[in-house]
Structure formats: structure tokens, C-alpha cells
Amino acid sequence: MGWSPDNTAGAETAKRELAEIEESAESFIERQIDREAKGPPIVLPDGSKVPRLPGYRMWIWDGEFCGVIGLRWKPGTTALPPYTLGHIGYSIVPWKRRRGYATRALALMLPLAKQEGLEYVEITTDLENVPSQKVILANGGVLVEQFVKPPQYGEKQGLRYRISTRRSD
């Protein structure tokens, strides 16, 4: 229905993932969890390839598909490589938005991030993405900076937030 889990590559990501599911739904599901970063390199929006980080992606579900949320990290540190915009990314299908699904999914992801050794997570969003900013703020996010995204992401302005995982104790 035109939705993509990737707000930068959009339709191309949706086509690729649908083809992967068509080829082998079981393999697609298995690839959503990659705590050892054994998968192929990540292709960034500009076509460059970078090493995969450990991580996983989960479906947001209310009896039917609502969207996805993912966590990625660099073992032993909260720091991320410059080509990685944040620890957590999420996307809700348009017909399920404004129901609190992203807010709840992010709240549930914070204890999982803590289990991976992260004291905090960073999440970035576009300046105009006010709904995502509200999700982050509802989960205790604090604005760290306004920044220019790296060239791989088109050097657009972004906002970086930080959320402590300790608040989930």
C-alpha cells in the first residue's frame, strides 16, 4: 500500500523486502535478528556500503501488521559509527498512525537496549517529523543537538535525541 520501513530509500526498500519475503518468508524472518552482525553490508541511501552492526528488527502488531522498530549497537560502547544515525529506528504504516503504537514500541524497546549494555540510546529525526519527535519526548527523550546529516544521507538537517535506558528500571 505504498509504505516502506525505510524513510530514505522508500519504495526501493519495500520492493526489495517484498521480493525477499516472496522468495523465502522464513529466511526473511530469520534475518531480522542479527546480534553478531553476520549479515551483508548495509547499503546507505547514496549507494555506499558500510559494515553491518549487531541488531534486530521487530514487527509492531495489533492483530495485523502496524510497522517495525529496530535496534542496532556497537558492542562495548554506546558510540555509533558516523554513518549510523541512531540506535533505534521505527516506522508505522500510515493507516495505523496516531494510535500510540510507536510510543509503546519505543517504550518496550528501551529495556531491550539496556540488556544489550546501552546506558542510553540516540534517535534522530528530521526537523519536520513532529510526530516522531513527540514519540521520543513521550519516552523521556532529551534533545541533544540539531545537526547536518552525513553526505550519505543528503546533508539534510536533523535532530538528535538521547533517552536513558535506566528509566526502565
Side-chain angles (χ1 to χ4, degrees), residues 26-144:
E26 185 175 311
S27 293
F28 177 81
I29 296 296
E30 288 172 2
R31 285 192 301 274
Q32 302 308 296
I33 300 172
D34 189 1
R35 285 188 166 90
E36 290 79 39
K38 293 180 180 178
I42 300 294
V43 178
L44 298 178
D46 70 350
S48 62
K49 293 183 180 181
V50 296
R52 179 176 295 276
L53 294 175
Y56 51 87
R57 192 167 70 159
M58 304 168 93
W59 287 358
I60 301 167
W61 192 263
D62 70 354
E64 58 186 39
F65 184 78
C66 299
V68 295
I69 187 165
L71 172 68
R72 57 193 165 244
W73 65 91
K74 189 172 179 187
T77 181
T78 52
L80 289 168
Y83 59 80
T84 305
L85 295 180
H87 292 98
I88 295 176
Y90 49 86
S91 180
I92 305 297
V93 296
W95 53 95
K96 294 279 187 167
R97 291 181 182 157
R98 298 173 55 168
R99 298 184 188 183
Y101 291 128
T103 302
R104 181 71 176 136
L106 180 54
L108 292 171
M109 186 61 81
L110 293 173
L112 300 177
K114 183 177 180 179
Q115 288 175 9
E116 298 299 343
L118 298 172
E119 292 181 24
Y120 63 83
V121 294
E122 290 186 344
I123 303 174
T124 64
T125 186
D126 293 336
L127 295 176
E128 66 276 4
N129 193 344
V130 174
S132 188
Q133 294 165 32
K134 289 179 179 180
V135 167
I136 296 165
L137 293 171
N139 278 283
V142 175
L143 180 63
V144 174

